[in-house]
């Protein structure tokens, strides 16, 4: 599947939250600078062309829904990020967050406990 732009990803998060929505319902969920209705409609159609979204037609309007789950997208996104930025090493990723003080020693112990349980 093609990579999503930041705006497309924002729209996907809205669709994952709503599960199905018309463009006007998506628009209502956008908290920051709202795009023009036609711009948003184009973004949603681009998501459909990329295979992330499908729709049910109701006359001239379309109700859109995600074709890919948030979990599937997250897995693909994380694997790509780890491959591209951490040399395919989860150890490098975790050490990066530790150095940036984004993860505490207690959280690392919790992660180790989860790993040991499996």
């Amino acid at each position: 599947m093609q990579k999503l732009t930041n705006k497309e990803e924002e729209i996907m998060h809205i669709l994952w939250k709503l599960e199905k929505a018309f463009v006007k319902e998506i628009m209502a969920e956008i908290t920051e600078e709202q795009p023009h209705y036609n711009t948003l409609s184009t973004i949603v159609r681009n998501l459909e062309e990329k295979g992330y979204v499908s729709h049910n037609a109701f006359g001239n309007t379309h109700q859109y829904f995600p074709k890919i789950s948030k979990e599937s997208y997250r897995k693909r996104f994380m694997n790509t990020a780890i491959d591209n930025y951490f040399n395919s090493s989860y150890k490098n990723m975790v050490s990066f967050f530790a150095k940036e003080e984004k993860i505490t020693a207690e959280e690392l112990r919790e992660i180790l406990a989860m790993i040991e349980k499996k």
Side-chain angles (χ1 to χ4, degrees):
M1 290 197 147
Q2 294 179 347
K3 185 176 179 180
L4 297 181
T5 66
N6 290 339
K7 189 52 90 172
E8 288 171 338
E9 196 169 297
E10 178 186 351
I11 302 309
M12 284 304 301
H13 281 283
I14 292 170
L15 281 170
W16 285 320
K17 176 184 167 189
L18 297 176
E19 297 180 1
K20 57 185 176 182
F22 296 96
V23 172
K24 66 180 179 174
E25 294 169 323
I26 297 169
M27 179 78 77
E29 292 290 319
I30 297 174
T31 55
E32 294 182 11
E33 193 175 321
Q34 289 190 336
H36 187 275
Y37 180 92
N38 290 341
T39 302
L40 180 57
S41 181
T42 299
I43 293 168
V44 174
R45 284 194 312 275
N46 287 342
L47 285 167
E48 189 167 25
E49 287 176 21
K50 290 181 176 183
Y52 286 91
V53 168
S54 190
H55 73 271
N56 292 316
F58 295 94
N60 289 336
T61 61
H62 295 102
Q63 185 180 47
Y64 295 93
F65 58 90
K67 284 180 62 177
I68 183 170
S69 72
K70 187 175 185 179
E71 307 311 318
S72 295
Y73 183 76
R74 179 184 4 213
K75 184 181 276 187
R76 183 176 299 127
F77 174 79
M78 289 304 299
N79 286 338
T80 300
I82 291 165
D83 289 346
N84 291 340
Y85 297 103
F86 301 104
N87 297 322
S88 302
S89 169
Y90 288 89
K91 178 182 169 187
N92 289 346
M93 180 192 69
V94 172
S95 67
F96 168 80
F97 288 114
K99 287 176 191 171
E100 294 291 315
E101 298 180 4
K102 302 288 185 191
I103 191 168
T104 66
E106 180 59 33
E107 290 170 325
L108 286 172
R109 283 190 278 280
E110 290 174 17
I111 292 168
L112 284 172
M114 284 189 282
I115 292 169
E116 289 171 352
K117 284 183 182 177
K118 289 185 178 195

